[in-house]
Amino acid sequence: MKKHYDMWNIPWSEDIDEINLVIKDDFYINEIDNESIFYKDIEYEKVNIGQIILEIGNLLYIGKEKFFALFKKYKVSYDVPTLEFVKEYFFDLIDLGFCQLLAHSLVDYIILSFEKDDTFKNAYIENSTNIEEWMDYPVNKMIVFLFGQLNPIHIMSKEYKPFNSIFKTHITEIDNELLSVCTEVDLWSLINLDALYSRKNKIKVLQCKYCRTFFIKTHGNNTAQCKKCADIEYSQKKDVFYQLYRKSQKTMLQRSYRHPIIESWQYQERYTTPWEKDITSVIDTFRENNDYSGFEKYIRKSMDKYKPKRKD
């Protein structure tokens, strides 16, 4: 890792800037040196098992637009990676909701992705839907990997094939307890470790049928929706406008899963999510006017609007 940071003259020390991960029975401890460039307020961060896979998976549904916006900003602010970029990217990722451990590994990943002749101007392309074209740009290639390969449901399935990854581990005694401490850990290693210990702890990851975010099944969870959506569903079960929206939303989601060419997440990005924003922006008006028939017509028209044309 050091040679990649050195290539950009970014001060990086193996002793204080490398990920140092302690494995406990049911959680991890991210040990952070207070002199590290990745230090923010705490020296010990508790990370729940399953949290790594969950946070990456939810990037697609709860933070994708903001994630893209970061690179639009960096493209203007920086020419090549610098210490200032590393710190800004790290803190921006934390602001998006990532734990410090995952934010650290994502910063390492982008530094690894940049070749000597790369700049932010030629490392990221906007407004392209051509995946093959994206693979020519380091930042876009990283995004394709994050969005295309890291589905938590797949990672937790028997079909998942671990990414090639190598890291160091040693056994140490802490408070009369033998623990494994991992170093030289990269993003692939974190994913594999989280998959390993999630399965060992029998953690089950589910995807909400409404908001599409991933969540960990706990006692009392059903397999259909996250707690937030379940609470909304319960509070709105007598609201005929809301129930019509939910019924129509199911149809929109089924379209995304059935399309023979467009990947479901791409379909949802182009059609389902804009449709949801459209409907939720007008539903209160129809409800206040008690105009159910008008809402039905608006729903039908919008469902026809937000779908692929024949050329798609």
Side-chain angles (χ1 to χ4, degrees), residues 55-211:
E55 286 187 7
I56 293 177
N58 280 334
L59 171 64
L60 177 60
Y61 295 106
I62 63 178
K64 190 167 76 65
E65 292 181 2
K66 293 179 180 178
F67 188 75
F68 280 132
L70 294 181
F71 291 100
K72 294 177 184 178
K73 178 179 68 171
Y74 302 148
K75 195 172 182 180
V76 174
S77 304
Y78 300 100
D79 182 35
V80 296
T82 64
L83 176 60
E84 290 72 22
F85 159 72
V86 166
K87 290 183 176 182
E88 183 175 358
Y89 185 32
F90 177 66
F91 283 98
D92 282 344
L93 288 170
I94 292 172
D95 288 343
L96 282 184
F98 289 107
C99 65
Q100 294 187 36
L101 173 62
L102 187 50
H104 184 162
S105 69
L106 286 169
V107 174
D108 284 347
Y109 188 27
I110 196 67
I111 295 298
L112 286 169
S113 300
F114 267 71
E115 301 292 341
K116 186 175 181 179
D117 296 328
D118 286 329
T119 68
F120 276 99
K121 289 183 173 59
N122 67 23
Y124 175 61
I125 183 174
E126 301 175 40
N127 303 320
S128 173
T129 58
N130 187 321
I131 299 300
E132 291 182 0
E133 183 180 20
W134 273 41
M135 300 304 284
D136 294 330
Y137 298 84
V139 172
N140 296 80
K141 187 175 181 179
M142 178 193 74
I143 292 170
V144 169
F145 169 73
L146 292 175
F147 291 164
Q149 305 297 323
L150 301 183
N151 182 306
I153 305 296
H154 172 68
I155 291 175
M156 302 297 273
S157 72
K158 294 180 180 179
E159 287 72 35
Y160 172 66
K161 299 295 186 293
F163 300 101
N164 292 328
S165 61
I166 299 174
F167 58 92
K168 291 182 179 179
T169 184
H170 64 275
I171 306 300
T172 188
E173 185 176 2
I174 302 176
D175 297 331
N176 298 317
E177 182 181 9
L178 288 178
L179 298 172
S180 175
V181 180
C182 302
T183 57
E184 297 187 18
V185 177
D186 59 17
L187 181 61
W188 296 270
S189 303
L190 275 183
I191 294 165
N192 288 337
L193 282 167
D194 207 29
L196 170 65
Y197 287 100
S198 292
R199 292 187 188 186
K200 278 191 170 188
N201 283 269
K202 295 181 169 40
I203 287 174
K204 186 174 180 60
V205 174
L206 306 171
Q207 186 174 25
C208 180
K209 68 178 182 179
Y210 293 131
C211 68

Side-chain angles (χ1 to χ4, degrees), residues 16-17 32-44 87 90-91 94 100 104:
I16 65 174
D17 294 311
I32 310 158
D33 193 290
N34 61 13
E35 294 184 2
S36 171
I37 58 177
F38 300 104
Y39 175 76
K40 183 182 185 295
D41 302 330
I42 57 174
E43 296 183 27
Y44 301 97
K87 290 183 176 182
F90 177 66
F91 283 98
I94 292 172
Q100 294 187 36
H104 184 162

